Amino acid sequence: MGEKITLSIIKADVGGWVGHSAIHPEMHDLAIEHAARAKKAGIVIDYFVGHCGDDHAFILTHKKGIQNTEIHKMCWDAFLDMTDLAHNLGLYGAGQDILSDAFSGNLRGMGPGYAEMEFEERKSEPIIVFLADKTEPGAWNMPLYKMFCDPFNTAGLVIDQSMFKGFDIEVDDLVNAKKVIFDTPLETYPMLSFIGAPGRFVIKHVYTKEGEIAAVTSTQRLSFIAGKYVGKDDPVMAVRCQSGLPAVGEVLNPFAFPHIVAGWMRGSHHGPLMPVSMTQDHPTRFDGPPRVVALGFQLKDGKLNGPRDMFADVSYDRARQIANEMADYLKAHGPFEPHRLPLEDMEYTNMPLIMETLKDRWVDDGENKAKGSGKHI
Ligand code: F6R
Ligand code: MG
Ligand code: MG
């Protein structure tokens, strides 16, 4: 048995350039400086600093396991240092995702998002790291379902005997901090009844039937930590590929359909998730539309060979075109649902303040009250 490798993706938005549209090159250089120092000190084996929109992501390999204090602290310190620089540069929303004053062991509840997996490196270890901006963790539900459960996406479920037994999928209830593992394909239908509500139920881990980790997502909801809207979660995800797992192309294919996700403009609108290259990860139109980049790595002894910019491919041009058309269509609804989020999801925006301000202006309209309605906010 070889020693286990940990892949940690730790991300935060600590200041945007310009507005919430992108990262600043000096911030990126500083992030690299921190990661390079950690490599030199032997804390990490290798690193890549990725970005999507106004979020930085440390992609790190090491042997310290998940939720490791040293690894989390290294990123926390980097984000604090970057926050200082963001203030100096006058960047927008400097320190946005720093929701706590003091570091106490790990990043749980602190603001930055993280997705980590520990595994024994295979002879060849292809991994895709996805980074998204202007959306929330549930955005990964549909693509993950397609990768691991849908034979119309993943031919391996039909053609590769080793995949016939399906996968175990952990779904977290973010409201009640509970989790359940669904045995797919047997429990695919009950699982769908939950993951079809991605604002609350999110796929956190995917395992093989032998208990090997296949995929992990970041599940932090900033608004749930802060109790109000403080910026969007902008989740990350890592998926191992090939040899009994979905092929690289099966992992990427779900993004050819730009599905509708929550998180566009002010975290309060639905929009299509547009797959883009690393050179196009700057959401500008109406602070969006939401977007995702895919970074491909071949791991070797923990070394990150990569990234390959997987969505820098003409075969995603049509998805981008459809996403732009869907963006036009949804945007034309202006402040109306379903472009704007439903009322219950507006609980973590400015909506409760507006309701509070107007609460004395509402008078009885003389009609019968509908049972069970009007209780969202
Ligand atoms: C940030 C985001 C943006 C902001 C919007 C308003 O993740 O999605 O759409 O919510 O630019 O920002 P403020 O309220 O800071 O002016
Ligand atoms: Mg921002
Ligand atoms: Mg962001």
Side-chain angles (χ1 to χ4, degrees):
M1 292 274 276
E3 244 186 307
K4 285 193 168 178
I5 294 285
T6 308
L7 173 69
S8 296
I9 306 157
I10 300 181
K11 56 84 39 184
D13 168 4
V14 284
W17 181 61
V18 171
H20 294 281
S21 66
I23 57 153
H24 191 281
E26 284 186 42
M27 294 275 279
H28 191 57
D29 290 347
L30 183 57
I32 290 172
E33 223 176 84
H34 276 268
R37 209 178 304 143
K39 184 174 175 178
K40 209 162 167 211
I43 297 169
V44 300
I45 301 171
D46 205 2
Y47 69 87
F48 181 76
V49 181
H51 51 83
C52 189
D54 53 3
D55 294 82
H56 274 99
F58 288 104
I59 300 168
L60 309 169
T61 52
H62 54 92
K63 291 188 178 172
K64 298 177 189 296
I66 64 169
Q67 300 255 5
N68 176 267
T69 299
E70 207 176 355
I71 299 294
H72 282 211
K73 181 80 166 55
M74 176 244 132
C75 295
W76 178 252
D77 289 343
F79 290 137
L80 289 184
D81 203 14
M82 290 160 72
T83 297
D84 286 344
L85 176 61
H87 281 296
N88 291 341
L89 291 168
L91 299 186
Y92 196 71
Q96 180 185 286
D97 291 358
I98 303 295
L99 301 183
S100 178
D101 294 335
F103 183 83
S104 55
N106 64 46
L107 287 170
R108 184 178 300 206
M110 308 284 287
Y114 51 91
E116 300 180 286
M117 51 160 85
E118 189 182 24
F119 53 88
E120 204 172 306
E121 200 180 88
R122 296 170 293 169
K123 199 166 67 208
S124 179
E125 188 65 64
I127 294 189
I128 310 289
V129 172
F130 294 91
L131 312 175
D133 193 37
K134 307 294 180 257
T135 188
E136 57 188 31
W140 305 129
N141 283 6
M142 192 193 287
L144 279 170
Y145 167 77
K146 289 186 177 177
M147 289 173 212
F148 289 95
C149 307
D150 179 6
F152 282 73
N153 178 80
T154 297
L157 293 167
V158 178
I159 289 168
D160 181 347
Q161 275 200 58
S162 67
M163 293 173 80
F164 285 0
K165 47 192 182 302
F167 295 90
D168 284 338
I169 300 190
E170 179 196 315
V171 175
D172 289 10
D173 172 352
L174 300 186
V175 171
N176 293 315
K178 296 212 180 290
K179 63 180 180 183
V180 60
I181 293 184
F182 289 102
D183 170 4
T184 69
L186 198 65
E187 297 183 312
T188 303
Y189 297 157
M191 181 179 76
L192 277 167
S193 65
F194 290 98
I195 64 170
R200 172 168 167 187
F201 298 100
V202 303
I203 298 178
K204 171 76 181 167
H205 294 111
V206 179
Y207 301 98
T208 66
K209 295 294 175 186
E210 290 75 38
E212 264 294 296
I213 185 81
V216 63
T217 69
S218 63
T219 50
Q220 293 73 32
R221 289 277 317 256
L222 284 170
S223 54
F224 289 0
I225 297 171
K228 59 177 194 236
Y229 180 71
V230 285
K232 218 47 211 167
D233 320 304
D234 303 336
V236 297
M237 163 166 84
V239 185
R240 299 170 76 194
C241 313
Q242 307 285 158
S243 311
L245 298 175
V248 166
E250 290 166 340
V251 168
L252 295 171
N253 186 65
F255 295 92
F257 170 62
H259 65 298
I260 299 289
V261 297
W264 196 358
M265 181 50 87
R266 297 175 187 274
S268 307
H269 293 81
H270 283 121
L273 186 64
M274 185 191 274
V276 293
S277 82
M278 288 161 71
T279 58
Q280 292 180 325
D281 71 340
H282 319 303
T284 53
R285 181 184 178 193
F286 197 54
D287 287 358
R291 56 199 70 201
V292 54
V293 298
L295 315 185
F297 296 96
Q298 285 288 156
L299 253 65
K300 181 63 186 168
D301 299 327
K303 191 174 160 15
L304 288 160
N305 287 310
R308 280 221 58 237
D309 188 357
M310 306 307 275
F311 289 144
D313 176 358
V314 288
S315 65
Y316 285 89
D317 284 352
R318 200 167 132 67
R320 290 186 271 267
Q321 189 192 327
I322 293 169
N324 276 323
E325 280 165 21
M326 286 160 66
D328 282 343
Y329 180 82
L330 277 167
K331 182 75 199 77
H333 289 76
F336 286 81
E337 298 176 11
H339 182 34
R340 203 192 70 176
L341 297 192
L343 215 44
E344 58 268 31
D345 292 339
M346 297 291 281
E347 198 173 341
Y348 291 96
T349 64
N350 282 332
M351 195 66 182
L353 288 177
I354 299 168
M355 298 293 259
E356 181 60 26
T357 312
L358 290 180
K359 74 174 191 308
D360 297 331
R361 299 261 306 275
W362 293 90
V363 293
D364 239 330
D365 67 356
E367 298 289 334
N368 288 332
K369 279 183 191 155
K371 285 191 182 122
S373 69
K375 61 175 183 186
H376 295 310
I377 284 182

